[in-house]
């Protein structure tokens, strides 16, 4: 019985330990490696997010992994060296799915004041300075080629010079370039400084010339990863405001992406952490003010991760929602184990009771039989049977676990049987002596067995 109780207790403790372990593993923060180009605004943004998540004890933590360029970030994601990566919508890794839109960058074509260039078509045969944050990157050059292709300007119809933001003004003053192409958020980052330098390098009193991409919607139809947008009047500051009127152009989204294999709950938590911590991250990196949730439409060009869709649509499943079936089955299993243990314990008790009853019955049979024995040989047989009964009751586990009442009755029956054998042995000895003298021996009457209280 004690062993059964201990076994049931061990099973219960194992179940409690398993649940506690599952809860610990579920609540342990998930660390996600993020591949992002070092030295960029996005690198500073993700570093600020990592610090914020750690400070706020978010269930997801970021480990920023710097890489050389966008291609290296895409490779890290595809090869599993990182769970997340920063990528532009026009250069996404094949299996990438959106977690959050970090910001949207507008394409800006601008010429210095006094230039004869007034519209995009005038760039044919010109040299264009393409601003890139990272030396050697080609993403903005490819975007410029896409835009100019809409105006039938082939790659051979213009020349490009890749520039760092600090090199723009010097290149204009040296007349190495005729216009500047940059892809940036107008209100944040170096865009306003670059426009200011372009304005300073132009003819005195002449504002810079902004070239609208009037066919941005047509470009977006042809290249769905690009979107039409509008640069508002005065977005780059200045007096007079730059630009002097709203400017239509195309834009590209910068996304935090993951592979489909990323656990849905982790992806949803990552999106939630970025969106709910936006203001805290923006205190360290103002670029965070432009973060937004990705589109969850099924026909979206950049598909959102399923975990993100569940979070945004309010269908995210919690721990007990996801594992309720396991808890239900576990409860059923525990109930079956408990029932089986109870049935086994009951059966063991029944078997023990049956064995003790048989032993008591036999002892009670020996008691009157011993008092009626006619010779010492018969008494010896009864004595040996009592010894065997004692050995059996000690050796048999079922009899060893008898309850107190049964044990008392067995002990009492053994004692009385032994007393009966001893009395009968003395009576036989006396009878033998009296017979020798010619007298008849009188045997003592049976003793009454005291009733168990």
């Amino acid at each position: 019985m004690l062993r059964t109780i201990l076994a049931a207790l061990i099973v219960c403790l194992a179940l409690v330990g398993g649940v506690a372990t599952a809860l610990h593993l579920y609540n342990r923060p998930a660390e996600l490696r993020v591949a992002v180009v070092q030295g960029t605004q996005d690198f500073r943004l993700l570093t600020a997010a990592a610090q914020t998540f750690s400070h706020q004890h978010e269930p997801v933590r970021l480990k920023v992994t710097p890489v050389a360029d966008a291609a290296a970030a895409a490779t890290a994601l595809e090869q599993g060296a990182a769970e997340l990566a920063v990528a532009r919508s026009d250069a996404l890794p094949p299996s990438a799915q959106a977690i959050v839109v970090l910001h949207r960058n507008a394409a800006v074509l601008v010429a210095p004041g006094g230039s004869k260039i007034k519209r995009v078509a005038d760039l044919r045969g010109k040299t264009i300075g393409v601003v890139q944050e990272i030396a050697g990157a080609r993403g903005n050059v490819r975007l410029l080629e896409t835009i100019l292709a809409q105006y039938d300007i082939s790659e051979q119809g213009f020349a490009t010079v890749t520039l760092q933001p600090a090199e723009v003004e010097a290149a204009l003053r040296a007349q190495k370039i005729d216009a500047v192409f940059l892809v940036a958020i107008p209100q944040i980052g170096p865009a306003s400084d670059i426009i200011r330098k372009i304005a300073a390098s132009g003819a005195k009193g002449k504002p810079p010339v902004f070239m609208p991409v009037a066919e941005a919607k047509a470009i977006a139809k042809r290249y769905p990863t690009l979107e039409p947008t509008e640069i508002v009047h005065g977005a780059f500051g200045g007096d007079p405001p730059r630009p002097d009127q709203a400017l239509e152009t195309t834009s590209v989204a910068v996304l935090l992406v993951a592979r489909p294999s990323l656990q849905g709950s982790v992806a949803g938590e990552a999106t939630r952490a970025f969106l709910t911590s936006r203001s805290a991250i923006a205190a360290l990196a103002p670029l965070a003010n432009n973060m937004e949730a990705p589109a969850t439409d099924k026909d979206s060009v950049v598909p959102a991760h399923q975990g993100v869709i569940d979070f945004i649509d309010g269908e995210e499943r919690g721990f007990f929602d996801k594992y309720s079936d396991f808890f239900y089955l576990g409860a059923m299993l525990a109930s079956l184990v408990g029932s089986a243990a109870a049935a086994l314990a009951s059966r063991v008790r029944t078997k023990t009771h049956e064995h003790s009853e048989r032993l008591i019955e036999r002892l009670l049979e020996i008691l009157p039989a011993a008092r009626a024995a006619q010779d010492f040989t018969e008494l010896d047989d009864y004595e040996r049977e009592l010894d065997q009964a004692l050995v059996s009751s000690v050796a048999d586990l079922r009899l060893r676990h008898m309850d107190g009442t049964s044990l008392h009755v067995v002990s009492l029956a053994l004692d009385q049987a032994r007393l009966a054998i001893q009395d009968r042995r003395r009576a036989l000895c006396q009878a033998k002596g009296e017979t020798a003298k010619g007298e008849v021996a009188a045997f003592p009457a049976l003793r009454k067995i005291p009733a168990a209280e």
Side-chain angles (χ1 to χ4, degrees):
M1 182 63 184
L2 181 61
R3 290 190 178 184
T4 303
I5 295 175
L6 288 176
L9 182 61
I10 290 172
V11 171
C12 292
L13 290 176
L15 289 174
V16 171
V19 171
T21 302
L23 288 173
H24 171 73
L25 293 176
Y26 181 80
N27 292 318
R28 186 177 60 181
E31 185 177 75
L32 303 177
R33 296 166 295 176
V34 186
V36 57
V37 180
Q38 189 171 15
T40 60
Q41 294 184 79
D42 296 319
F43 184 86
R44 293 186 286 275
L45 172 62
L46 270 297
T47 300
Q51 295 174 0
T52 301
F53 291 174
S54 178
H55 178 72
Q56 295 183 347
H57 304 289
E58 293 286 352
V60 292
R61 306 292 170 84
L62 301 180
K63 181 180 180 181
V64 179
T65 304
V67 294
D69 52 32
T75 301
L77 181 70
E78 290 297 312
Q79 294 182 353
E83 287 75 36
L84 304 175
V86 175
R88 284 187 5 174
S89 59
D90 59 344
L92 284 174
S95 63
Q97 294 184 343
I99 298 296
V100 68
V101 179
L102 298 178
H103 51 89
R104 299 180 188 275
N105 292 350
V108 183
L109 276 165
V110 59
S115 173
K116 294 181 180 180
I117 300 174
K118 303 299 181 183
R119 57 197 185 94
V120 176
D122 295 337
L123 292 172
R124 184 178 281 105
K126 305 299 182 181
T127 300
I128 305 169
V130 180
V131 181
Q132 288 276 181
E133 280 190 283
I134 302 300
R138 297 283 299 171
N140 289 349
V141 173
R142 289 191 292 270
L143 179 57
L144 175 62
E145 292 171 352
T146 299
I147 293 173
L148 295 185
Q150 177 67 29
Y151 297 88
D152 290 333
I153 302 176
S154 64
E155 296 179 19
Q156 293 75 29
F158 65 97
T160 60
V161 176
T162 303
L163 301 171
Q164 296 287 294
E167 300 172 339
V168 173
E169 186 175 4
L172 285 169
R173 292 188 182 280
Q175 297 183 349
K176 292 181 179 179
I177 56 176
D178 302 300
V180 176
F181 178 71
L182 64 147
V183 183
I185 301 174
Q187 296 85 359
I188 298 176
S192 295
D193 291 335
I194 294 173
I195 298 299
R196 191 178 303 112
K197 292 175 182 179
I198 295 172
S201 64
K204 189 174 182 180
K206 298 286 187 178
V209 179
F210 291 90
M211 290 162 271
V213 183
E215 287 72 26
K217 292 182 180 179
I219 294 174
K221 289 290 185 180
R222 183 178 296 179
Y223 302 99
T225 56
L226 303 177
E227 299 176 353
T229 191
E230 183 180 80
I231 299 175
V232 300
H233 169 68
F236 298 105
D239 185 22
R242 311 182 189 107
D244 57 2
Q245 60 182 358
L247 186 69
E248 188 177 1
T249 186
T250 190
S251 69
V252 62
V254 178
L255 306 155
L256 184 66
V257 297
R259 289 190 298 173
S261 57
L262 181 66
Q263 189 176 353
S265 60
V266 175
E269 280 294 336
T271 301
R272 183 202 59 77
F274 272 100
L275 297 181
T276 58
S277 304
R278 183 162 39 197
S279 59
I281 300 172
L284 302 174
L287 189 60
N289 287 316
N290 295 274
M291 291 192 303
E292 59 184 87
T296 58
D297 300 335
K298 292 183 179 180
D299 58 349
S300 178
V301 176
V302 182
H305 193 284
Q306 185 59 48
V308 177
I309 296 174
D310 293 340
F311 165 72
I312 295 175
D313 293 345
E315 298 178 358
E316 191 176 24
R317 302 174 67 194
F319 177 82
F320 288 101
D321 292 328
K322 288 189 292 185
Y323 299 106
S324 59
D325 291 342
F326 292 100
F327 282 114
Y328 177 72
L329 292 174
M332 289 185 61
L333 180 61
S335 177
L336 290 174
V337 170
S339 299
L344 180 62
S346 176
R347 180 165 186 153
V348 169
R349 286 195 299 269
T350 301
K351 289 292 184 181
T352 301
H353 182 71
E354 290 176 355
H355 279 70
S356 64
E357 287 294 324
R358 284 199 296 268
L359 178 60
I360 292 171
E361 289 176 1
R362 180 53 186 160
L363 292 175
L364 293 178
E365 289 173 357
I366 293 175
L367 181 60
R371 293 196 179 278
Q374 298 300 316
D375 55 47
F376 293 110
T377 302
E378 190 176 353
L379 290 176
D380 290 340
D381 291 339
Y382 291 143
E383 190 81 35
R384 282 192 293 271
E385 191 170 352
L386 290 180
D387 291 340
Q388 185 61 40
L390 177 61
V391 171
S392 299
S393 62
V394 173
D396 194 330
L397 290 177
R398 291 169 294 187
L399 294 177
R400 197 186 302 175
H401 294 150
M402 286 186 295
D403 57 76
T405 302
S406 299
L407 186 62
H408 174 72
V409 172
V410 170
S411 177
L412 183 61
L414 275 171
D415 290 342
Q416 291 300 317
R418 287 195 185 279
L419 286 175
I421 292 173
Q422 291 173 6
D423 289 346
R424 184 58 178 164
R425 196 180 292 278
R426 283 196 298 270
L428 287 176
C429 289
Q430 291 176 5
K432 193 173 184 181
E434 292 297 332
T435 302
K437 296 178 180 180
E439 297 179 0
V440 179
F443 297 121
L446 287 175
R447 296 184 183 180
K448 292 185 179 179
I449 299 174
E453 297 182 358

